[in-house]
Structure formats: structure tokens, C-alpha cells
């Protein structure tokens, strides 16, 4: 072989050997050293991620750590922006009953901030929406199960509250706060925030920015999900562990009983159930109810009043307020259980003003104890005159009726007691729980619970604590200090009077055969006219059971009812029997 040719072959061999060695080294580097990183990059290119829950947020639970929200996975409409046809936005708007601007704004946000990742356009789809989406077969729109915060069986919606968009005033308050939250949980202008109830009060504890889990979709180069591969669930356990939950004093079992009974009997009104031994609210409900997933429906109509928590609103209490008059009268010694009065069917003041008894014929002769049981107006006007406005106001203060106190749930104080001290007629009306007296169902509950507790007032409590999902305590809400409001002797006498009401007076439909019950009815004037031209009446029952050791106090308030004995007392019995069966 020619020496020159051999030299050339040798040079080429060395070049190929060096090139091969370089390729082997490069392949080794890519596969072994950078293999995991490159594989992840490849997977990322062919993967898109969907937030697996509608609202990253901590839970609101009852005393036994049972969620009140009915959180669960439900069908949602999800858009893959890369392949969605913009002209289909109008069709989608019609199917989902959403403003077209809401859809286009979300698409624009996805394009600018989320790199065309899929976006959840609407959760909690109803059957008709699901069927219409399937028929329409819009490109880039998929039905995917997403965890919604509120379900159809959520409880205590007025107490829990709801989420909403950030209004301008709130946003201006959040701007300085955002600088403090930098790097942790800064707010975006289009975020949802707690705007009512527990959701709003404990926003800073409940809010999260990362989902509890994600759904991973495998897509092709055009961003289209590959059929047959479905969605993989990726759980973010560290996020779940560090979330907070608000633990209420509510008992979901009792709350469920109350709401089921309300849905049968009460269109408008409120019910409060309090555990006498602890002062804890174990159930609280208001009607009408609202859907936490369709807030816009109420904001843009005449249904805004459905947001009102009637358990905290103030009404004329009517005759349930006579308990306070009786307590003051017995404690001050201005009368006793056996004093005999005479009811002629009306009470006439020196000015000539006449206030009738609800029993037009008059009750005739009756003792003070019987007067409460039969809710005799003239007797209580007379006793109210003996007490005078100053004493009535003093005892209202003792029973904390001039305060809207509820541990864990700040309420605005309302001027519940406003009596003209110089007017006998004003004192007479106040003694009947009418003009000059306005109480909330919560306030009436704590008044009757004080009597059930032998004259000891306990500040009602509705939040127990805030803790992490790992049960690390963040904040505790301790019970308040007990206060002896009236003597135990007076409380026992009041109980006897309330038992007479349920056994032989106006509240016999509230009597519970097995364990007994005590309480008082009320049919309170409102000054408003119904459609039929008659005055609207709000009807009440407040009482407790069992008699030996009163466990629970329950207040029923029904707007536009007929009478407390006919409408409210049977509701008390139905609820109390079921609660005690637990």
C-alpha cells in the first residue's frame, strides 16, 4: 500500500474515532447526567396543567371536623385556549348563561399570564348545560371534573357566607397589604375573595394560592389533548398539609335537622339552637336560602334580601320579651307568682289610650304566673308601669340585650332598647315587646338560655378555633366569663311560668311528652301591610328542653305568620325531638 494513502487512512480513522468518542460522550451526558431534566422538559412541552379545584382555600368545618361546604368533584367546562375557536365564544356564552365578555376576558388573561394553559370557565354544571355542551362539540371545550368549593348540600350558607369579586374599595385596602404579602399570597385584581360571613371574616386564614391537586393533560404540538390518555391527577400534599381550617361550634347533624325542618315549614325566618351548658351555637339558619355558586343572580335582581342572615336581624319580639318583664318584676319584688290580676280585655291609660288584649273577651281573674302562660297584655302593661322604664332598661342591660355579642363572629351593635321614660304608653308598649324594643333571634335565644341556666348568662360562641390540617393550633376562641344575671330562685320561678305556657297556655303545641319543655310564644305586630291588606305578623317561639336538665334552647322566628302558638311552637317541637334523639 502506498505510504501516503496509509497515512491518509490513519488520519481519517483518528478523526472518526474522535468524532465517535465525542458523540458517545455527548449521548452519555444527555442520557445520564441531564436525562431526568430533559425528560421533564419534554414532558412539559407535551403537558398542560389544570387547577384541580375551583378555589384554593381552607375548609370551614363543624365541631366534629365535618365540612359544612359539601365540597366535591363536579363537571366543569374547561377551555384549551390554543385550539379554542374565538367565534365559538357566543355559543358557549349561550349554553353556560355567562356574559360573553366574561369568557373573552378569561381567555385574554390565560394568554397573557398562564401561557395558554387550560382555564376553568364554569364549575358546577347542571345536567342541561352538560348535555348542550356535548351536543355543541365545541373545539377546545372539555368537560372535566373539578373540585367545587360549595355543593348543593352545603349547610349554614348565611353563616359561612360566599366568595365574590374584589370591588374597588376592597382593592384599594388590599394594595398596601399586597406589599406585606409579597412572595406569599399577593392578591390579583381578578381574584375571588370572601365577601360575607366566615369566608370574609377569616379571609386571611382561609386563602391559599396553590391548588390541592392538578390535572395533567398530555397534548400534541398544537396543544390538543391526546384522545385516550385522559387526565392524570397530581396531588399537592404539602399544600394540603399547611392549609388552615376554621372550626365552628356548629354541629352538622343538628344543623341538618334544623334546615330540613325549615325547608318544610318556613319560607322566611330564622332558627337558632344553643347548647345551654357551653353557650355554644350548635345550629343557626335563615330562610330564604341562596345558592353560593350563583351570586350574580342575586346581585342583579330583587333577590338581594336573600343574603340577609335573619338570625342577626332585629325585629319586634312581641310577647317573648315578657320573660324579661317577669324576671325584673320577680327580682325586684313588685309582684309574685300568686298575685291575682283581672283582665277585662283591654288596658286603658289615664290619657284615654287603650291597648287591647289579644284575647278580646278578657282573661278575667288570673295569677301572674298564669298571665305569662296565657300571654295577657293588660297584666304585663300593669307590671311594666310598676317597674318603670329605668328598671326595664336596667334588666335589658343585665341580660345583655343591648349588646350583639357572639364570640368569633363580630356583629355591629344595634340600639335594641329605646324607651321614652316619661311616657306610660311607651312603657306599656315596651312591656309587650313592641315599640321601643327590637331584638334578633340570637338575642332572644341568649335571654331564654340564661333562664334555663338558673340565671347565669354565658356569652354565645360560634367559632371554636383555627387550626392547620395537621391539627396545629393557630388561634383559639375561648368561652367568656359567666355572669349571674338574676338569682337562681327567680330563674326557677320563671321556668315554672314557662312550663305553664307549654302545658296549659298558648304554647301547648311545643310540649314534648317524653321529657317536657318550657317556652313562650309571640305574635308580634310589624306595622307592615300584606298583599291582602292585613297587617303582617312575625311569630315566635323561644324555649328549652328537657325540663330536668335543659340541654338546648331554641328560638323560632317566622316572618308573616299567623300566630306563635300555631306556626312556631310545632316547629320547635319537631326540631327538639329530633335533636334529643341524637
Amino acid at each position: 500500500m502506498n505510504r501516503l494513502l496509509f497515512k491518509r487512512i490513519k488520519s481519517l480513522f483518528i478523526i472518526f474515532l474522535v468524532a465517535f468518542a465525542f458523540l458517545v460522550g455527548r449521548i452519555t451526558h444527555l442520557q445520564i447526567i441531564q436525562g431526568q431534566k430533559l425528560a421533564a422538559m419534554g414532558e412539559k412541552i407535551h403537558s398542560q396543567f389544570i387547577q384541580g379545584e375551583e378555589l384554593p382555600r381552607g375548609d370551614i368545618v363543624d365541631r366534629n371536623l365535618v365540612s359544612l361546604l359539601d365540597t366535591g368533584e363536579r363537571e366543569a367546562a374547561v377551555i384549551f385556549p390554543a385550539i379554542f375557536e374565538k367565534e365559538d365564544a357566543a355559543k358557549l356564552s349561550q349554553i353556560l348563561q355567562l356574559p360573553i365578555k366574561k369568557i373573552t376576558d378569561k381567555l385574554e388573561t390565560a394568554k397573557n399570564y398562564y401561557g395558554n394553559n387550560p382555564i376553568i370557565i364554569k364549575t358546577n354544571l347542571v345536567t342541561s348545560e352538560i348535555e348542550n355542551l356535548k351536543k355543541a362539540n365545541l373545539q377546545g371545550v372539555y368537560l372535566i371534573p373539578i373540585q367545587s368549593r360549595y355543593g348543593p348540600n352545603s349547610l349554614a350558607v348565611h353563616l359561612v357566607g360566599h366568595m365574590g369579586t374584589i370591588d374597588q374599595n376592597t382593592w384599594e385596602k388590599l394594595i398596601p397589604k399586597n406589599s406585606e404579602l409579597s412572595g406569599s399570597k399577593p392578591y390579583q385584581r381578578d381574584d375571588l375573595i370572601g365577601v360575607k360571613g366566615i369566608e370574609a371574616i377569616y379571609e386571611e386564614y382561609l386563602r391559599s394560592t396553590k391548588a390541592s391537586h392538578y390535572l395533567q393533560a398530555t397534548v400534541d404540538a398544537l396543544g390538543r389533548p391526546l384522545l385516550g390518555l385522559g387526565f392524570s391527577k397530581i396531588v399537592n400534599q404539602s399544600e394540603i398539609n399547611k392549609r388552615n381550617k376554621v372550626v365552628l361550634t356548629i354541629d352538622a347533624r343538628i344543623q341538618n335537622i334544623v334546615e330540613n325542618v325549615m325547608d318544610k315549614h318556613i319560607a322566611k325566618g330564622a332558627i337558632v339552637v344553643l347548647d345551654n351548658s357551653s353557650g355554644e351555637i350548635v345550629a343557626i339558619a335563615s330562610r330564604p336560602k341562596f345558592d353560593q355558586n350563583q351570586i350574580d343572580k342575586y346581585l342583579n335582581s330583587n333577590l338581594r334580601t336573600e343574603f340577609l342572615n335573619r338570625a342577626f336581624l332585629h325585629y319586634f319580639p312581641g310577647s317573648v320579651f315578657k320573660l324579661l318583664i317577669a324576671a325584673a318584676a320577680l327580682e325586684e319584688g313588685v309582684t309574685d307568682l300568686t298575685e291575682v290580676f283581672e283582665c277585662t280585655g283591654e288596658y286603658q291609660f289615664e290619657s284615654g289610650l287603650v291597648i287591647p288584649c289579644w284575647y278580646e273577651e278578657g282573661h278575667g281573674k288570673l295569677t301572674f304566673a298564669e298571665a305569662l302562660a296565657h300571654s295577657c297584655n293588660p297584666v304585663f302593661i300593669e307590671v311594666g308601669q310598676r317597674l318603670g322604664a329605668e328598671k326595664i332598661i336596667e334588666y335589658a342591660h343585665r341580660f345583655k340585650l343591648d349588646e350583639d355579642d357572639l364570640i368569633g363572629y363580630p356583629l355591629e351593635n344595634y340600639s335594641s332598647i329605646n324607651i321614652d321614660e316619661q311616657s306610660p304608653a311607651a312603657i306599656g308598649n315596651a312591656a309587650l315587646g313592641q315599640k321601643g324594643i327590637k331584638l334578633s333571634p340570637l338575642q332572644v335565644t341568649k335571654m331564654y338560655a340564661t333562664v334555663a341556666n338558673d340565671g347565669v348568662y354565658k356569652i354565645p360562641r360560634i367559632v371554636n378555633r383555627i387550626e392547620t390540617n395537621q391539627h396545629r393550633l393557630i388561634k383559639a376562641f375561648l368561652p367568656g366569663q359567666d355572669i349571674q344575671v338574676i338569682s337562681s330562685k327567680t330563674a326557677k320561678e320563671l321556668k315554672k311560668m314557662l312550663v305553664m305556657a307549654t302545658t296549659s297556655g298558648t304554647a301547648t303545641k311545643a310540649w314534648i311528652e317524653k321529657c317536657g319543655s318550657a317556652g313562650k310564644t309571640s305574635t308580634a305586630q310589624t306595622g307592615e301591610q300584606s298583599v291582602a291588606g292585613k297587617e303582617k305578623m312575625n311569630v315566635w317561639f323561644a324555649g328549652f328542653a328537657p325540663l330536668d336538665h335543659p340541654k338546648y334552647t331554641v328560638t323560632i322566628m317566622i316572618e308573616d305568620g299567623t300566630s306563635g302558638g300555631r306556626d312556631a311552637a310545632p316547629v320547635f317541637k319537631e326540631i327538639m325531638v329530633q335533636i334529643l334523639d341524637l
Side-chain angles (χ1 to χ4, degrees), residues 378-391:
V379 171
F380 275 85
I381 294 173
E382 168 64 30
V383 173
Q385 302 302 315
R386 295 182 189 178
L387 283 168
E390 190 176 331
K391 279 295 177 186

Side-chain angles (χ1 to χ4, degrees), residues 254-315:
I254 298 177
Q255 183 73 30
N256 198 50
I257 289 169
V258 166
E259 298 205 25
N260 286 338
V261 172
M262 283 193 86
D263 289 337
K264 285 195 296 181
H265 301 295
I266 302 175
K268 263 187 188 179
I271 295 179
V272 179
V273 184
L274 182 144
D275 184 317
N276 294 322
S277 62
S278 63
E280 294 175 345
I281 303 295
V282 293
I284 188 166
S286 177
R287 288 295 183 272
K289 190 178 179 181
F290 66 91
D291 186 340
Q292 293 157 300
N293 292 308
Q294 298 190 52
I295 298 306
D296 289 347
K297 179 177 83 173
Y298 304 94
L299 295 176
N300 302 322
S301 71
N302 61 353
L303 299 175
R304 280 178 176 266
T305 57
E306 299 197 9
F307 287 133
L308 296 175
N309 189 342
R310 286 168 165 78
F312 300 148
L313 293 186
H314 295 78
Y315 301 84

Side-chain angles (χ1 to χ4, degrees), residues 315-323 375 429-434 437 439 520-525 538 540:
Y315 301 84
F316 294 122
S319 294
V320 291
F321 186 70
K322 289 174 181 173
L323 182 70
S375 202
N429 272 298
L432 304 181
Q434 291 291 164
I437 309 294
L439 301 177
K520 180 79 186 72
T521 59
S522 175
T523 305
Q525 294 176 291
N538 291 337
W540 299 70

Side-chain angles (χ1 to χ4, degrees), residues 201-202 312 404 406-412:
I201 296 167
Y202 297 103
F312 300 148
D404 283 290
L406 181 58
I407 296 172
Y409 198 105
L411 295 167
E412 291 185 13

Side-chain angles (χ1 to χ4, degrees), residues 15 133 350 395 409:
I15 290 170
L133 276 178
E350 289 183 5
Y395 275 82
Y409 198 105

Side-chain angles (χ1 to χ4, degrees), residues 431-471:
L432 304 181
Q434 291 291 164
K435 187 177 179 182
I437 309 294
K438 276 196 170 182
L439 301 177
S440 69
L442 173 64
Q443 289 175 311
V444 171
T445 305
K446 66 183 186 181
M447 176 169 62
Y448 277 73
T450 299
V451 173
N453 284 329
D454 291 329
V456 175
Y457 172 76
K458 295 176 183 287
I459 303 175
R461 183 166 60 129
I462 206 161
V463 179
N464 185 299
R465 64 190 182 277
I466 301 170
E467 63 178 33
T468 69
N469 282 340
Q470 300 291 79
H471 305 297

Side-chain angles (χ1 to χ4, degrees), residues 154-165:
S154 61
L155 294 171
V157 299
H158 293 86
L159 176 67
V160 167
H162 63 269
M163 307 294 292
T165 53

